[in-house]
Amino acid sequence: MRTPFRRAVCGAIAVALLGGLGLTSCADPGRNGTVDTGSAPVDTSVTATPGPTDSSGLSASPSASLSPSASRSPSPSASRSAKLSLSRSPSHVPTSRAATPAAASNIASRLRTIPASTGQIIVVHSSGYGTSFASLETFEKVNGVWRAKFGVMSARIGTKGFSDSHVEGVPTTPTGVYSIGSTMYGALASPGVRYSYHRLVVNDWWDENPSSPTYNSFVHGTDPGGNSEALWQIVPQYNYFAVINYNIPVRAATPARGSGIFLHVNGSGGTAGCVSLTQSNLLQVLKWLNPAASPRIVMAPSENLGRY
């Protein structure tokens, strides 16, 4: 039977031996820091709140999800798994599920009429036909999977909302799927877009006269008549804009099917049929768009996106 004195001496010797071997039940903050540093970089261009329908492509290491308090006081099993991961070579560090493309569940992944060659999609949707308030979302194809690019942006559309049968002179935004025009325009110098860019000058018009042979196209010269727009005079809306290829090439119809549908800078309210964003958001989108990716823009009330 040991005396209290002998038990104390034995205990002191055991503590000294354990300390010399470097054994401890506490996580090593320095090692945890090393694991965090080895995690994949965050894609900061994706500003939407991550969720089931938003895959931002993060590839964090297991310890990256630990809170500060958890890193200070892990359970014994957590300490063991941390030490095991540190002892492995980089080629054996486990990857998270987010690093492997999976079938995303978002608006773009549910579209059925987008050409296979398309690698970028803009979706403009609203709560119904009668509102000029809408949301704009952007998606890009990564390894065959549609991923959200930017966060949801507030947009304005025609003052009378969406229409499945837009016609000239009525302030509705046409529903459907459209490509982006080969040239972007603006009253200001090019912001660095990947498309051809034309800085507007005096006598630059968009022909919105159905009787004109150049109806629904950019022209330079005399006023084509009708409701044609003097592009160089319309600011800030036309500081920058992209052409949405609605009714391009023109299809003969009576009444005319409409013209001049652009993606441009916000004005003071709804539009005459275009889609508008704040200038900062618009520039994000215009500089992102790449003609090599054959972008498409989809426009419809949310309830009808299933058509496309």
Side-chain angles (χ1 to χ4, degrees):
M1 178 176 183
R2 297 178 180 178
T3 65
F5 174 78
R6 290 182 65 188
R7 284 198 299 272
V9 170
C10 290
I13 293 172
V15 170
L17 287 174
L18 289 170
L21 292 173
L23 302 176
T24 175
S25 62
C26 298
D28 183 343
R31 293 185 181 180
N32 285 344
T34 301
V35 174
D36 289 345
T37 302
S39 60
V42 175
D43 180 4
T44 56
S45 64
V46 180
T47 57
T49 303
T53 63
D54 173 32
S55 301
S56 59
L58 304 184
S59 179
S61 63
S63 66
S65 63
L66 295 176
S67 66
S69 60
S71 66
R72 286 194 298 270
S73 303
S75 65
S77 60
S79 298
R80 286 195 295 272
S81 63
K83 290 179 181 178
L84 285 173
S85 66
L86 288 169
S87 65
R88 294 171 179 166
S89 63
S91 62
H92 291 88
V93 175
T95 56
S96 67
R97 291 183 180 179
T100 303
S105 178
N106 53 41
I107 292 175
S109 70
R110 295 191 291 272
L111 298 173
R112 297 174 288 108
T113 65
I114 304 301
S117 59
T118 292
Q120 294 178 322
I121 295 177
I122 298 170
V123 181
V124 182
H125 56 97
S126 68
S127 60
Y129 280 94
T131 178
S132 70
F133 292 89
S135 296
L136 183 147
E137 299 187 55
T138 49
F139 302 88
E140 61 186 6
K141 192 181 290 183
V142 180
N143 296 327
V145 177
W146 288 110
R147 305 291 190 191
K149 177 60 179 178
F150 304 118
V152 179
M153 299 175 178
S154 296
R156 298 300 295 271
I157 58 174
T159 56
K160 290 192 174 182
F162 280 120
S163 172
D164 294 333
S165 55
H166 174 73
V167 296
E168 187 66 45
V170 179
T172 55
T173 297
T175 57
V177 180
Y178 307 101
S179 59
I180 302 297
S182 60
T183 300
M184 293 181 177
Y185 300 86
L188 303 179
S190 172
V193 297
R194 304 184 200 189
Y195 279 73
S196 297
Y197 186 86
H198 174 77
R199 186 170 184 177
L200 299 172
V201 297
V202 175
N203 293 327
D204 280 348
W205 300 83
W206 196 267
D207 186 346
E208 299 185 13
N209 178 4
S211 300
S212 169
T214 54
Y215 174 58
N216 199 19
S217 68
F218 171 86
V219 295
H220 176 78
T222 58
D223 183 349
N227 293 319
S228 296
E229 294 186 84
L231 299 174
W232 76 96
Q233 295 179 347
I234 303 174
V235 292
Q237 290 93 325
Y238 293 169
N239 282 349
Y240 309 99
F241 69 90
V243 178
I244 297 171
N245 283 336
Y246 167 76
N247 200 26
I248 297 176
V250 173
R251 286 167 48 191
T254 303
R257 297 180 66 246
S259 58
I261 303 300
F262 306 143
L263 176 60
H264 65 68
V265 178
N266 275 346
S268 58
T271 72
C274 299
V275 178
S276 67
L277 297 171
T278 64
Q279 183 162 298
S280 60
N281 281 343
L282 177 69
L283 288 177
Q284 259 193 316
V285 174
L286 296 188
K287 289 190 284 187
W288 165 68
L289 286 172
N290 185 350
S294 301
R296 291 294 186 274
I297 182 167
V298 182
M299 305 188 294
S302 300
E303 62 188 285
N304 289 338
L305 287 173
R307 295 176 178 175
Y308 309 108

